Amino acid sequence: MKGISGKEWVLLSEKVKPDKDLEEKYGHLIAQILSNRNLDENIFDNKLKNLLPYYTIPNIEEGAERITRSIKKGERIIIYGDYDVDGITGSVMLYDFLKRAGAKVYAVFPSRQGGYGLSRELVEEFSNYANLLITVDNGTTATQELKNSKIETIIIDHHNPHDEIPKALIINPKIGNVPDELKEVSSATLSFYLAAKLRRELNIDFDVRNYLYLTAMGTLADVMPLNYLNRIIVSNGIRVINHMIKHNTENSYGIKALVENIGIKGDITSRDISFSIAPRLNAPGRVSKTIMAMNLLLSKDERTARMWAKRIEEVNSYRKYLSDIAFKKAMNSVKGQQSKNFLVVKMEEWVGGVAGIVAGRLSNILSKPSAVFSMGKEFATASVRGVEGLSIYEGIKKLSHMFVKWGGHASAAGLTIRVEDIGRFEKYVDEVFSEMRKEEPKLYIDILLEPKEVKEDVLRSLIKLEPYGEGFPTPVFMSHPLRVERAEGNTEKLVLRSNQGVHFVSYNPNINKKLINLGYTERRIAYTVDAKRRVFNLVDVEDS
């Protein structure tokens, strides 16, 4: 069975049988979903005491000791965070805690024009101003930038290391022998662990569990897999954020103002963070100044928080506007690249802040990995996005000798290259990806469930299984053939009406283009359910 998305449908309930004890305890639906993911009831045990101890993280004790010395000696400390949500939340956490500890601490963020990570000029400037540099969500690949550095540096990061590592104290679980699940944590989680260790070291009367909402946001925004460790972080973080908003607790003003502006009603879910909150916190770093997001999260009164929330909403609207313009230009520029295995788009410098969004949309619509370059006079910076079943990181790693700097994950990467080398990159990257084997995309469906059967018991089960995210996706259901027709909408958002009285919403432009011309038809539907809002989200439609 195949969908109009091109994905082969795999009905897991035909291949996996749920554990009987699990079924008796939690019911068939939950038992089936957990069995499909090869998990058991331990996922419901999200107590913080089950977190791995801090000493399992390499260099964290040495890092805490060095920071403690710096505070006691009255040294100046600079926190240099990344401009995405993971870098922002990790930086906010450490900045707030170090301020509470009486440190002379300053937070700095890069601009998109300057590119990701450290530069030699920045390191030299920091050396003239401070005694200790702490990077958050960057630094692991800054080998050359820190080679002759005069400032002591602590790197808090989770990105993949290159063959040579920088001259610094590196707190990165990808370097060293650690449990597998610790290798997939966010930089915000590493910052949380460091804050917890510093609290003990400095004997500060503050409950670092208040920072869990920041850690959850960093984890979800950076699409970290929801393994056992990350589920504990995210579950407790969401609990903290909902408690903060309801009770107006300390440091709740910023996030509360943001949530009110978005219009989220009731309890926050992982979906709200991933699709509504995180994009807005990302927006200032894309098209304005990252410090705006930090100022919002650190707001100490309602008036200040509302002011920053309003400004961020305006910046987010501007980000959408720029993204749409850049995407249209990018689509025009790839018209002649149908035969290529890897799409390369060269655009003006202003595109830098939205290049990742544009590359992601290109890859999603055209089903090919892509790089969107922001062209400067001497250097060009690219955001690279992949497709399902293909590792971007492993592919561009083979061309890393051409890059001034680079880094990333399996599905996304960033790189800076000299303008004169882009032609060679374009040629060789296509060759590299022509040789890489791409797995055929599949849609894994949990269980056959008619939409009309989604009653209160099903909704309660779906809420119990929260949080959802990478590695623990929202359950996908399949219907028997339904008569469906277009109710309203366009390629951006389409609503289908079914003969069961259920409306399905689709935000997938690829699928929507096909559905608009489908007419009145009878087909199986693959869908998910937003249990909180009782919305049926269309995932795919059976191909004829």
Side-chain angles (χ1 to χ4, degrees):
M1 197 186 318
K2 217 170 190 181
I4 61 174
S5 65
K7 294 181 178 180
E8 181 189 343
W9 289 11
V10 179
L11 184 57
L12 294 172
S13 57
E14 288 183 346
K15 300 175 179 295
V16 180
K17 296 305 169 192
D19 181 85
K20 290 295 180 189
D21 291 339
L22 204 60
E23 198 166 2
E24 285 177 15
K25 191 169 182 180
Y26 294 102
H28 179 66
L29 183 64
I30 287 179
Q32 183 68 62
I33 290 167
L34 291 182
S35 299
N36 291 346
R37 289 152 177 71
N38 197 27
L39 296 168
D40 56 30
E41 63 182 313
N42 284 328
I43 74 151
F44 298 126
D45 187 8
N46 292 320
K47 296 184 184 69
L48 286 171
K49 68 177 184 180
N50 295 328
L51 283 177
L52 289 169
Y54 69 85
Y55 54 76
T56 55
I57 300 172
N59 293 327
I60 197 164
E61 292 181 276
E62 293 86 344
E65 287 170 12
R66 177 62 188 90
I67 294 169
T68 299
R69 272 202 322 274
S70 197
I71 294 170
K72 289 180 176 176
K73 288 165 70 175
E75 293 179 343
R76 284 179 173 174
I77 302 171
I78 288 178
I79 295 173
Y80 184 68
D82 189 26
Y83 36 50
D84 70 1
V85 176
D86 192 19
I88 294 164
T89 52
S91 299
V92 165
M93 221 179 299
L94 287 179
Y95 177 85
D96 185 69
F97 184 83
L98 294 181
K99 275 289 184 185
R100 291 173 186 276
K104 293 177 182 175
V105 59
Y106 308 86
V108 182
F109 295 94
S111 67
R112 291 277 172 172
Q113 291 71 31
Y116 169 81
L118 292 166
S119 66
R120 288 182 179 178
E121 294 75 20
L122 263 178
V123 173
E124 189 174 341
E125 192 175 333
F126 292 156
S127 300
N128 294 330
Y129 186 78
N131 309 93
L132 180 64
L133 171 63
I134 304 172
T135 72
V136 180
D137 202 36
N138 69 93
T140 296
T141 60
T143 308
Q144 295 304 314
E145 291 81 357
L146 291 170
K147 196 167 191 177
N148 300 309
S149 170
K150 299 171 188 171
I151 187 170
E152 282 192 71
T153 303
I154 297 172
I155 292 169
I156 302 166
D157 195 14
H158 68 140
H159 288 93
N160 292 324
H162 293 172
D163 294 335
E164 188 181 353
I165 60 173
K167 185 190 77 174
L169 185 66
I170 305 175
I171 300 173
N172 184 338
K174 297 269 177 70
I175 301 172
N177 186 22
V178 300
D180 284 345
E181 62 184 20
L182 197 54
K183 292 181 179 179
E184 300 295 343
V185 299
S186 65
S187 295
T189 294
L190 297 173
S191 297
F192 172 77
Y193 268 103
L194 181 58
K197 173 60 179 166
L198 283 167
R199 192 203 68 78
R200 294 189 191 95
E201 199 84 13
L202 294 162
N203 196 26
I204 302 291
D205 184 19
F206 177 74
D207 191 345
V208 294
R209 289 176 295 182
N210 292 326
Y211 292 142
L212 279 166
Y213 81 102
L214 295 167
T215 315
M217 290 196 295
T219 300
L220 288 169
D222 233 45
V223 200
M224 294 291 100
L226 288 185
N227 56 30
Y228 186 51
L229 181 80
N230 285 332
R231 281 190 71 85
I232 295 172
I233 290 288
V234 172
S235 298
N236 284 281
I238 290 174
R239 199 171 296 125
V240 168
I241 202 171
N242 284 316
H243 177 80
M244 286 169 60
I245 290 170
K246 283 177 185 173
H247 300 282
N248 285 323
T249 59
E250 185 185 14
N251 283 354
S252 69
Y253 301 113
I255 195 66
K256 186 175 181 181
L258 189 65
V259 166
E260 286 174 355
N261 265 17
I262 295 169
I264 299 172
K265 306 294 183 187
D267 285 349
I268 304 296
T269 65
S270 54
R271 182 182 175 84
D272 294 325
I273 292 173
S274 296
F275 294 102
S276 297
I277 295 172
R280 284 166 171 81
L281 292 176
N282 259 332
R286 290 189 181 280
V287 297
S288 186
K289 295 181 178 178
T290 308
I291 199 74
M292 291 171 62
M294 183 174 188
N295 289 341
L296 171 80
L297 293 171
L298 291 174
S299 296
K300 300 300 181 188
D301 60 78
E302 288 184 6
R303 187 178 168 209
T304 304
R306 284 177 183 152
M307 182 268 289
W308 285 117
K310 183 183 177 185
R311 287 184 64 180
I312 284 174
E313 201 63 41
E314 291 167 352
V315 167
N316 189 51
S317 296
Y318 183 55
R319 186 267 305 167
K320 288 179 184 175
Y321 168 74
L322 288 183
S323 299
D324 288 342
I325 292 174
F327 176 67
K328 286 172 186 173
K329 289 188 174 186
M331 283 296 284
N332 282 331
S333 73
V334 297
K335 282 180 179 175
Q337 298 188 40
Q338 290 92 336
S339 62
K340 291 194 174 180
N341 302 290
F342 189 100
L343 305 175
V344 175
V345 178
K346 290 163 276 192
M347 303 187 75
E348 299 94 329
E349 206 163 2
W350 63 265
V351 172
V354 296
I357 296 171
V358 175
R361 287 174 72 179
L362 282 177
S363 295
N364 182 41
I365 288 174
L366 302 174
S367 300
K368 291 183 180 182
S370 56
V372 174
F373 279 93
S374 165
M375 305 293 290
K377 289 181 181 177
E378 188 179 352
F379 299 102
T381 301
S383 288
V384 187
R385 296 295 181 268
V387 291
E388 192 177 343
L390 203 62
S391 173
I392 279 291
Y393 185 87
E394 292 305 317
I396 67 167
K397 183 180 180 181
K398 296 174 183 177
L399 303 175
S400 60
H401 59 280
M402 300 173 63
F403 309 148
V404 176
K405 58 182 176 180
W406 73 288
H409 306 292
S411 59
L415 64 92
T416 300
I417 191 171
R418 293 187 180 278
V419 169
E420 63 262 30
D421 290 332
I422 288 185
R424 285 196 308 129
F425 170 79
E426 197 167 357
K427 175 188 174 185
Y428 291 122
V429 76
D430 201 65
E431 290 178 6
V432 165
F433 279 88
S434 71
E435 295 168 1
M436 291 183 70
R437 181 183 243 174
K438 180 185 169 187
E439 295 176 13
E440 283 303 308
K442 289 183 172 61
L443 174 63
Y444 292 99
I445 296 169
D446 283 284
I447 194 170
L448 184 70
L449 181 70
E450 291 300 302
K452 65 183 179 183
E453 295 172 357
V454 179
K455 308 287 188 185
E456 290 299 324
D457 58 331
V458 172
L459 296 173
R460 280 195 300 271
S461 294
L462 294 177
I463 289 169
K464 184 175 179 63
L465 286 163
E466 275 272 3
Y468 300 111
E470 183 72 12
F472 193 84
T474 303
V476 179
F477 305 118
M478 183 180 78
S479 72
H480 284 111
L482 296 175
R483 289 196 304 276
V484 291
E485 62 180 337
R486 177 183 174 186
E488 59 179 329
N490 50 38
T491 54
E492 294 299 313
K493 178 185 176 184
L494 189 68
V495 179
L496 292 182
R497 178 172 44 236
S498 76
N499 61 317
Q500 288 190 6
V502 172
H503 286 66
F504 297 94
V505 183
S506 170
Y507 294 93
N508 187 321
N510 278 349
I511 288 177
N512 293 349
K513 281 179 187 175
K514 296 175 183 177
L515 288 175
I516 283 173
N517 301 316
L518 210 57
Y520 195 67
T521 185
E522 187 166 309
R523 301 171 189 236
R524 290 180 175 86
I525 303 289
Y527 67 96
T528 63
V529 180
D530 181 342
K532 177 187 167 187
R533 296 180 179 84
R534 306 188 181 207
V535 172
F536 291 74
N537 292 302
L538 186 140
V539 176
D540 206 353
V541 175
E542 181 186 16
D543 203 359
S544 56

